[in-house]
């Protein structure tokens, strides 16, 4: 629909649409295939409006904190910031066993992780489509996607960044006209323990606006991680990347 980086999404794909509600969330999603994230297996996920997919409970916090989080919530953050879908945009999600989509995902994973034979049998695809920021007086919108996928043995997460125009909502000290400044968006993973986490470089700095040009798999705007057992591809140890932008 928008470009090759995003997997197909939207109502015509059979996606559910999140309610229009500031700091809102999807209903609890009963995962048809339990998802293993840092050695723990989860059966319930939430697609939260503020750019986060969480396990077991929703996340309504709108100003991001760096990982590891003290409260121990396990979640993945493609772009954690103060989204307001009442002001603009939609958040879609769907659990899929569509063979064409799963084959596309499998081919991508095999390209990035050639040592592990992988054929996806399930995916959860969540897409934030041209979403506005809280307090916005502009037309700016962000479009990004997160995919959880597995062959029931190995578990991966893909982040796709198609169009990022703002970093910060007004309640996080951002500028209402530009959507910049204040405490910018955060991207990465929090396992719920103190040792397994990853902050994508540029998180919570103005540089996160350029996440459409960065990657750990040589595809600008795409980050891919194996998450059943913590491994980071193509970047240094996770703890070293907390605040340096290379």
């Amino acid at each position: 629909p928008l470009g090759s980086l995003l997997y197909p999404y939207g109502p015509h794909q059979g996606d559910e649409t999140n309610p229009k509600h500031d700091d809102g969330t999807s209903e609890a999603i009963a995962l048809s295939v339990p998802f293993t994230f840092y050695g723990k297996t989860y059966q319930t996920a939430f697609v939260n409006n503020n750019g986060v997919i969480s396990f077991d409970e929703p996340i309504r916090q709108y100003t991001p904190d760096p990982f590891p989080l003290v409260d121990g919530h396990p979640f993945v953050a493609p772009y954690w910031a103060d989204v307001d879908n009442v002001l603009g945009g939609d958040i879609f999600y769907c659990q899929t066993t569509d063979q064409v989509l799963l084959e596309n995902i499998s081919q991508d994973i095999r390209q990035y992780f050639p040592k592990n034979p992988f054929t996806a049998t399930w995916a959860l695809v969540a897409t934030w489509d041209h979403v506005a920021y809280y307090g916005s007086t502009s037309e700016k919108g962000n479009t990004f996607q997160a995919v959880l996928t597995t062959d029931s043995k190995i578990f991966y997460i893909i982040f796709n960044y198609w169009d990022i125009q703002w970093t910060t909502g007004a309640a996080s000290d951002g500028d209402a006209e530009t959507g910049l400044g204040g405490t910018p968006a955060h991207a990465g993973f929090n396992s719920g323990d103190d040792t397994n986490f990853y902050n994508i470089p540029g998180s919570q700095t103005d540089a996160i606006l350029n996440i459409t040009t960065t990657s750990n798999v040589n595809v600008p705007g795409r980050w891919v991680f194996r998450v059943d057992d913590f491994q980071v591809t193509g970047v240094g140890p996770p703890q070293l990347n907390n605040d340096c932008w290379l």
Side-chain angles (χ1 to χ4, degrees):
L2 262 174
S4 59
L5 196 63
L6 296 177
Y7 299 111
Y9 68 90
H12 62 283
Q13 286 290 121
D15 286 11
E16 304 284 336
T17 305
N18 272 18
K20 296 275 186 185
H21 195 272
D22 182 43
D23 302 328
T25 176
S26 69
E27 57 192 41
I29 303 163
L31 301 179
S32 52
V33 174
F35 196 80
T36 300
F37 184 59
Y38 297 112
K40 290 187 184 166
T41 299
Y42 298 96
Q43 315 226 350
T44 307
F46 292 83
V47 173
N48 303 280
N49 290 4
N50 289 338
V52 168
I53 298 178
S54 56
F55 298 102
D56 288 350
E57 55 186 297
I59 300 287
R60 300 183 188 277
Q61 184 179 332
Y62 55 83
T63 300
D65 285 318
F67 301 148
L69 297 178
V70 288
D71 63 16
H73 288 314
F75 67 74
V76 299
Y79 202 82
W80 185 15
D82 198 358
V83 170
D84 189 348
N85 63 348
V86 178
L87 288 178
D90 285 295
I91 296 133
F92 301 109
Y93 66 92
C94 131
Q95 292 188 78
T96 184
T97 53
D98 178 84
Q99 284 310 306
V100 176
L101 178 54
L102 289 178
E103 183 50 33
N104 285 346
I105 292 171
S106 300
Q107 283 176 355
D108 288 339
I109 299 272
R110 288 195 294 263
Q111 184 185 338
Y112 312 138
F113 297 84
K115 289 182 186 147
N116 299 323
F118 182 79
T119 303
T121 53
W122 170 91
L124 170 67
V125 180
T127 310
W128 287 257
D129 184 44
H130 202 73
V131 290
Y133 54 93
Y134 180 79
S136 171
T137 59
S138 76
E139 297 293 308
K140 285 185 171 185
N142 286 347
T143 300
F144 57 94
Q145 187 176 67
V147 179
L148 281 58
T149 189
T150 185
D151 60 359
S152 80
K153 295 184 288 291
I154 305 177
F155 295 78
Y156 291 101
I157 292 178
I158 303 169
F159 291 163
N160 293 321
Y161 301 96
W162 183 248
D163 187 22
I164 299 296
Q165 300 181 354
W166 62 266
T167 63
T168 323
S172 311
D173 298 324
D175 183 295
E177 280 181 44
T178 65
L180 305 174
T183 303
H186 193 94
F189 299 84
N190 193 67
S191 71
D193 64 36
D194 290 335
T195 48
N196 293 307
F197 61 91
Y198 183 68
N199 298 311
I200 287 182
S203 287
Q204 298 196 335
T205 75
D206 296 338
I208 201 67
L209 195 65
N210 305 321
I211 200 166
T212 53
T213 67
T214 66
S215 178
N216 64 341
V217 292
N218 294 318
V219 179
R222 174 171 285 169
W223 288 74
V224 186
F225 302 88
R226 179 173 171 180
V227 296
D228 49 293
D229 169 29
F230 187 77
Q231 300 174 3
V232 173
T233 313
V235 280
Q239 287 79 357
L240 300 183
N241 275 330
N242 282 351
D243 45 26
C244 59
W245 172 250
L246 303 172

